[in-house]
Amino acid sequence: MSSNPGPELNAALAALSTIILGKERQLRLSLACLLARGHLLIEDLPGVGKTTLALALARVFGLHFQRLQFTSDLLPADILGVSIYDTGTGGFRFHPGPVFSEVVLADEINRASPKTQSALLEAMEERQVTSDGATRALPDPFFVIATQNPGEQIGTYPLPESQLDRFLMRLSLGYPAAAAERALLIEPERRDLLAGLPPVLTAARLCELQAEVRRVRTAPALVDYLLALVRASREHRALRHGLSPRAGLALKHAAQAWALLEGRHGVIPEDLQAVFTAVAAHRLSVAERADAQVVAAEIVASVAVP
Amino acid sequence: MARSDNLPPARLTRTVLLRLLAVQALVLAPHLPRLPLWAAGLVAVILLWRTAAALRGWPLLPGWMRVLLTIGAFAGIYASFGRVSGQTAGVALITVMAALKLTELNSRRDLMVMVFLSYFLLVTHFLFSQELWTAAYLMLSATLITALLIDANHAGGVLPARVVTVMAGGMVLRALPLMALIFVLFPRIPGPIWGLPADAGAARSGLSDSMAPGEIAELVGSDAIAFRVRFDGAVPPPGERYWRGPTFLRFDGRSWDGGSRAGLVDAPAAELRGIGYRYELTLEPTRTPWLFALDLPARLGLPEGAVINADHQLVLARGEVRERRRYRLQSHPDYRLQPALPAPLRALATALPKAANPRAQALARQWRVEATSDAAIVERALRMFREQPFHYTLSPPMLGRDPVDGFLFETRRGFCEHYASSFAVLMRAAGIPARVVTGYQGGERNTIGDYWIVRQSDAHAWTEVWLADRGWLRIDPTAAVAPARVERGIGSALDDAELPDFLNPALRNGYRFDLRARWDWLNARWNHWVLGYGPELQSEFLRRFGIDEWREMILALTGLLTVLLAGFGLLLIRRSTPRPVDDAPSRAWRRLQRRLARAGLPQAVHEGPADYAARVASARPDLAATIADAARRYIAVRYLDADSDGDLKALRAAIARVRP
């Protein structure tokens, strides 16, 4: 292994922790998600710091940030961009939409119509936008943080399972702990602190780290363990169907990123366990009203570490 | 995340509660008509109140009130039955107590109790009814109770009713092969499947041990089955289908009964002629000792426990017919019964109360003076019935103090018992020995299964007179009045207006009638193959598979079950335990696991090595350094680097240093 990325990642984590208080685990997971070149879905109530997290991630890595508020009348062109006739040149000129940013915060994604949702999700998957016959690559790194409000609120279009699959992880931040909330009220506004947050890493370094993640070793024993987990999800009684092979791949990448964050150059079972719920829960198709988080925890608890 | 989250909540949700109440209603309902009125009312009120309480969120009864109710119900059952055990009282008690349990029902634990109580209650239905529809009802109820059991054990939210019902149905279906296996192979003891306690069986309609005017007419309204008959070959013509039952010798002026037979215990001599009819008769329970037989049964090959008595009547030597009985007989319609009449029997068979029915007695004495022979008197009496305006009816007018006189000389409207009774009285008054025989006449063919059904509505009474040289001779005076009764059955002998619906010829065709025949056929099969599956049928059935004896049966049963269960168990074990990886690092690590497990720190199945090491270190600080080193090396060998011999050696050494 070339260099030990541990210290710089720890510095990035530390910087994030000064903004988002008392959410060490979620920060670590979202960082792992970014490192694994995945996209992040945050499901939470308004006002718990989803936007702040996205902003902080963008700043720490020195990335260009764009926020997109999803509403029911948002159109695909509002995201992807549009070609407009330019009287000066006498031709059409493409005006790139907000999706052409390194970090995109898609706020309340489930409020947009399915057509608009799928425009974004396709761009996320293919990392390129095709419009008027021309294909334009999205920037690299490209990281989407989407948020959605939990529960069936009026005027929402819940994401179908196939599109949930585009997100590597799903997290919820939850209410802050008492001490953290106290600090939140006493200290200066988070947004102001954010402005003073110096970038710890560069976009180029992030790309290197992302490449490094893919090189983290997954020993045969670990692959066996991963397969056992996937198989257990397919045999679990509360599930209509289990994890797909793509989900298995996602688990591997997330665990590799987690191992890198831990400063390891190989994945151990604990890494896989740490990311399992975040990666697997939203892909599990649970029988009515059972809890995917509980089921995911059950699967981890029931599969023996080889 | 904690394991305790996965247990169902201790308090029941309203949905589960309502489902339980619905299942309870289903399980308890068939018992309600068998309970005393107050108990049935109590059960119904509790069910309704508990449902309302669940819907409206009313508070449950306080403890002292429940105790009072329980004591009261117990006392009530004792007061109603004079006991609290036995079939009816015991079932009543458990039914009421199950309902009372609902008053405190609130937690998951109560639900489990109710579920198992419901399974038990379900079985008690079999004590009262073993018919086909009961079995269907029990299967349905068992499925729903099982669904409730799934609800009770399900973690997380309430599952939709359809999901649990389908799951439970699947379980019940999967249990069926095992049930069939046990049913077929479990060694049977003689007696019915359901050995009933002494108070079993409610009063049944049927012929009784005495006969008064109007009693048989009442039976015509009942379509209950008396017995089914399957003939081996030829079927006797309708005029010979007299199924002999209780025979009556003593007449008190109004009604007939058996009277005392002191000194007359031996079966009379009977000379049977011609080729007999062979048949198998399946008798429904009567709670009487009589076994019915076609006139006149041969004495050979009698059913077990049966004898032929002094009236040549087939009876059980002791006991009553409490459960369905199947027996084979041979009968000969052409016979000569008791050509030599013993003097005491002759005295009994000609006795008449002197004061009763004087006009009939006078008429018979006049016949005796005018007649040349006994046979002529018989003929004369029959001619009177034929020629005078006698009418065959189900609803004869009331008769006064001398019913025979009233019938013969005034009303002239009567049912078979009137004819049989007055004919016998006339014969006796003329000095000819006579007796009344009751039983069934006719029967209806079931074309689906090719057997004959004899119903209570086929009940009949006729007369036997004793003539010198010819012995007891069957004379059916009803046949003289209404020949159709004997030839074509009761349905064609009565006015349509008098007939119950099921006998009405206008309604006896078409698909409803056909459906009825099919249903009866299905019931007959059920009776034969399921309820009648006793020791004989079992050994007959198993002999086809080369199993001769009950010891072998047990062996076969245990062997089959063992093989099945063992196979299933092995399959489960194979599927649930992944084969452990067997390489050098894991062997070394297992050594460490065993050592630490002995020290009270076993590694959990899902625990990774790093987590385990951390846990051990915090539990045993003295081991912290060595376990951390061992775990680091193990992780390195197993997950981080391709293993090499040097690393492996170091790992073994590190593991050896961990000494709890």
Side-chain angles (χ1 to χ4, degrees), chain B residues 633-653:
Chain B
R633 285 176 189 282
Y634 173 66
I635 287 169
V637 168
R638 196 155 169 69
Y639 295 108
L640 302 189
D641 306 315
D643 43 355
S644 65
D645 287 345
D647 287 348
L648 199 57
K649 231 179 246 165
L651 169 64
R652 288 199 182 113

Side-chain angles (χ1 to χ4, degrees), chain A residues 217 219 221-222 237 264-270 273 288-289 294 297-298 300-301 303-306, chain B residues 1 3 6 157-160 167 581 605-612 634-635 638-642:
Chain A
R217 180 180 149 82
L222 193 276
R237 300 209 60 165
R264 245 188 260 107
H265 56 273
V267 182
I268 66 169
E270 283 85 344
Q273 292 177 354
E288 279 155 83
R289 280 181 273 183
V294 173
E298 265 176 28
V300 170
V303 174
V305 174
Chain B
M1 288 271 186
R3 295 296 282 167
N6 301 338
V158 180
L159 291 171
M167 256 168 101
V581 189
V605 274
H606 63 279
E607 205 171 18
D611 284 351
Y612 182 45
Y634 173 66
I635 287 169
R638 196 155 169 69
Y639 295 108
L640 302 189
D641 306 315

Side-chain angles (χ1 to χ4, degrees), chain B residues 102-439:
Chain B
L102 292 175
T103 61
E104 65 166 4
L105 181 92
N106 226 344
S107 65
R108 205 177 73 85
R109 191 187 145 276
D110 295 331
L111 177 60
M112 298 299 274
V113 172
M114 288 314 290
V115 163
F116 291 112
L117 198 56
S118 302
Y119 280 125
F120 184 77
L121 270 168
L122 207 54
V123 172
T124 60
H125 289 308
F126 256 135
L127 294 175
F128 296 94
S129 164
Q130 298 120 45
E131 282 172 48
L132 201 50
W133 68 266
T134 317
Y137 157 78
L138 293 190
M139 293 298 288
L140 172 77
S141 304
T143 304
L144 292 182
I145 298 174
T146 309
L148 208 56
L149 189 60
I150 295 172
D151 261 340
N153 284 292
H154 175 69
V158 180
L159 291 171
R162 201 180 54 81
V163 172
V164 285
T165 314
V166 167
M167 256 168 101
M171 288 181 185
V172 171
L173 277 183
R174 268 171 272 172
L176 281 184
L178 194 66
M179 188 181 93
L181 189 71
I182 293 175
F183 177 83
V184 170
L185 289 181
F186 196 82
R188 291 302 160 84
I189 45 166
I193 308 180
W194 300 91
L196 301 185
D199 62 340
R204 288 176 182 273
S205 68
L207 294 171
S208 67
D209 55 4
S210 69
M211 187 190 83
E215 279 183 4
I216 291 182
E218 275 174 25
L219 289 179
V220 172
S222 161
D223 67 344
I225 298 202
F227 49 85
R228 296 181 176 89
V229 186
R230 185 185 295 277
F231 289 96
D232 280 355
V235 176
E240 287 182 1
R241 281 204 297 272
Y242 281 84
W243 305 96
R244 193 180 181 84
T247 304
F248 303 128
L249 263 183
R250 193 175 69 183
F251 183 60
D252 67 0
R254 181 175 182 83
S255 62
W256 290 82
D257 62 37
S260 146
R261 309 286 171 86
L264 297 168
V265 285
D266 292 337
E271 186 187 322
L272 303 173
R273 301 178 192 132
I275 305 161
Y277 297 102
R278 298 183 54 80
Y279 53 93
E280 184 187 71
L281 193 149
T282 311
L283 181 63
E284 297 292 311
T286 58
R287 296 181 60 76
T288 62
W290 302 306
L291 301 176
F292 292 87
L294 191 68
D295 238 359
L296 191 67
R299 207 169 308 177
L300 291 171
L302 291 184
E304 200 184 314
V307 293
I308 287 187
N309 72 3
D311 303 323
H312 210 280
Q313 153 76 47
L314 194 62
V315 293
L316 285 179
R318 64 177 65 83
E320 299 171 338
V321 182
R322 286 174 170 277
E323 64 261 359
R324 196 172 285 110
R325 247 191 103 102
R326 189 168 48 240
Y327 48 88
R328 295 194 60 82
L329 283 175
Q330 178 166 347
S331 290
H332 298 257
D334 189 8
Y335 59 85
R336 196 160 70 133
L337 177 62
Q338 211 170 17
L341 191 67
L345 187 55
R346 184 183 193 91
L348 283 173
T350 49
L352 274 182
K354 286 278 165 290
N357 305 307
R359 291 172 70 188
Q361 295 201 34
L363 176 69
R365 275 195 295 275
Q366 187 197 334
W367 287 347
R368 163 73 19 198
V369 172
E370 293 167 7
T372 53
S373 69
D374 287 355
I377 295 176
V378 170
E379 188 43 47
R380 180 138 189 200
L382 286 176
R383 201 167 66 230
M384 176 184 80
F385 284 128
R386 257 197 307 271
E387 289 171 358
Q388 293 189 20
F390 280 94
H391 189 69
Y392 184 63
T393 173
L394 260 182
S395 41
M398 293 292 287
L399 295 167
R401 203 171 55 84
D402 294 316
V404 174
D405 278 4
F407 169 68
L408 283 177
F409 303 105
E410 284 154 30
T411 66
R412 292 197 174 98
R413 297 167 63 83
F415 199 60
C416 59
E417 64 261 45
H418 298 88
Y419 292 97
S421 170
S422 45
F423 186 82
V425 167
L426 286 170
M427 290 305 110
R428 285 186 175 193
I432 305 172
R435 62 191 181 191
V436 168
V437 183
T438 57

Side-chain angles (χ1 to χ4, degrees), chain A:
Chain A
M1 291 291 133
S2 49
S3 62
N4 185 3
E8 38 187 339
L9 287 173
N10 280 337
L13 260 179
L16 288 172
S17 304
T18 60
I19 304 296
I20 311 282
L21 301 176
K23 296 286 170 195
E24 167 85 17
R25 189 183 158 70
Q26 282 89 339
L27 290 179
R28 220 168 235 280
L29 280 170
S30 45
L31 205 49
C33 187
L34 177 58
L35 288 173
R37 296 167 67 90
H39 302 291
L40 181 64
L41 177 66
I42 302 183
E43 190 175 86
D44 224 323
L45 300 166
V48 291
K50 288 173 297 204
T51 315
T52 314
L53 173 63
L55 268 172
L57 272 172
R59 279 210 68 94
V60 164
F61 286 95
L63 301 175
H64 180 245
F65 174 83
Q66 189 66 260
R67 177 187 173 139
L68 245 175
Q69 176 63 49
F70 275 50
T71 56
S72 55
D73 53 359
L74 194 75
L75 295 174
D78 297 335
I79 301 173
L80 305 178
V82 67
S83 294
I84 292 171
Y85 185 71
D86 189 333
T87 42
T89 58
F92 281 94
R93 203 161 68 81
F94 183 72
H95 293 259
V99 78
F100 287 88
S101 304
E102 288 162 323
V103 176
V104 176
L105 172 65
D107 218 358
E108 298 185 294
I109 191 171
N110 53 343
R111 284 183 60 194
S113 63
K115 191 175 174 182
T116 311
Q117 286 176 0
S118 67
L120 174 70
L121 294 162
E122 264 178 60
M124 279 163 55
E125 181 66 14
E126 289 158 19
R127 292 170 184 269
Q128 62 186 26
V129 170
T130 303
S131 165
D132 303 327
T135 298
R136 297 174 180 86
L138 292 174
D140 191 30
F142 174 63
F143 183 48
V144 175
I145 302 180
T147 73
Q148 66 173 355
N149 299 333
E152 293 85 24
Q153 295 184 354
I154 293 171
T156 60
Y157 302 89
L159 292 177
E161 281 156 24
S162 59
Q163 304 207 330
L164 280 174
D165 201 34
R166 309 277 160 105
F167 292 98
L168 179 65
M169 292 187 190
R170 186 182 65 181
L171 291 179
S172 5
L173 289 173
Y175 296 118
E181 196 159 10
R182 190 183 170 80
L184 214 67
L185 294 172
I186 292 171
E187 288 172 15
E189 291 269 327
R190 295 292 114 179
R191 297 289 170 94
D192 300 341
L193 283 178
L194 209 52
L197 192 69
V200 179
L201 293 160
T202 61
R205 179 63 183 143
L206 179 60
C207 288
E208 281 174 35
L209 287 173
Q210 285 178 337
E212 188 136 338
V213 162
R214 304 286 157 117
R215 290 197 295 271
V216 171
R217 180 180 149 82
T218 45
L222 193 276
V223 174
D224 286 346
Y225 181 48
L226 199 159
L227 288 174
L229 285 171
V230 170
R231 194 168 51 242
S233 80
R234 291 171 191 167
E235 286 168 2
H236 197 283
R237 300 209 60 165
L239 298 181
R240 276 199 292 268
H241 34 79
L243 294 172
S244 64
R246 178 155 66 178
L249 211 54
L251 274 172
K252 178 185 148 181
H253 292 157
Q256 285 174 313
W258 187 270
L260 194 74
L261 274 173
E262 296 280 333
R264 245 188 260 107
H265 56 273
V267 182
I268 66 169
E270 283 85 344
D271 299 331
L272 200 48
Q273 292 177 354
V275 298
F276 186 79
T277 304
V279 176
H282 64 289
R283 298 168 206 260
L284 292 176
S285 150
V286 212
E288 279 155 83
R289 280 181 273 183
D291 189 347
Q293 310 266 350
V294 173
V295 172
E298 265 176 28
I299 291 172
V300 170
S302 67
V303 174
V305 174

Side-chain angles (χ1 to χ4, degrees), chain B residues 531-573:
Chain B
L531 300 182
Y533 189 79
E536 299 92 16
L537 202 57
Q538 184 176 41
S539 57
E540 179 193 317
F541 180 75
L542 292 178
R543 218 169 290 131
R544 294 190 202 168
F545 300 97
I547 302 172
D548 275 334
E549 218 222 333
W550 66 270
R551 270 177 261 271
E552 290 179 33
M553 220 136 71
I554 294 186
L555 221 59
L557 178 68
T558 1
L560 256 169
L561 278 180
T562 313
V563 168
L564 269 178
L565 288 177
F568 187 62
L570 277 178
L571 199 75
L572 279 186
I573 290 171

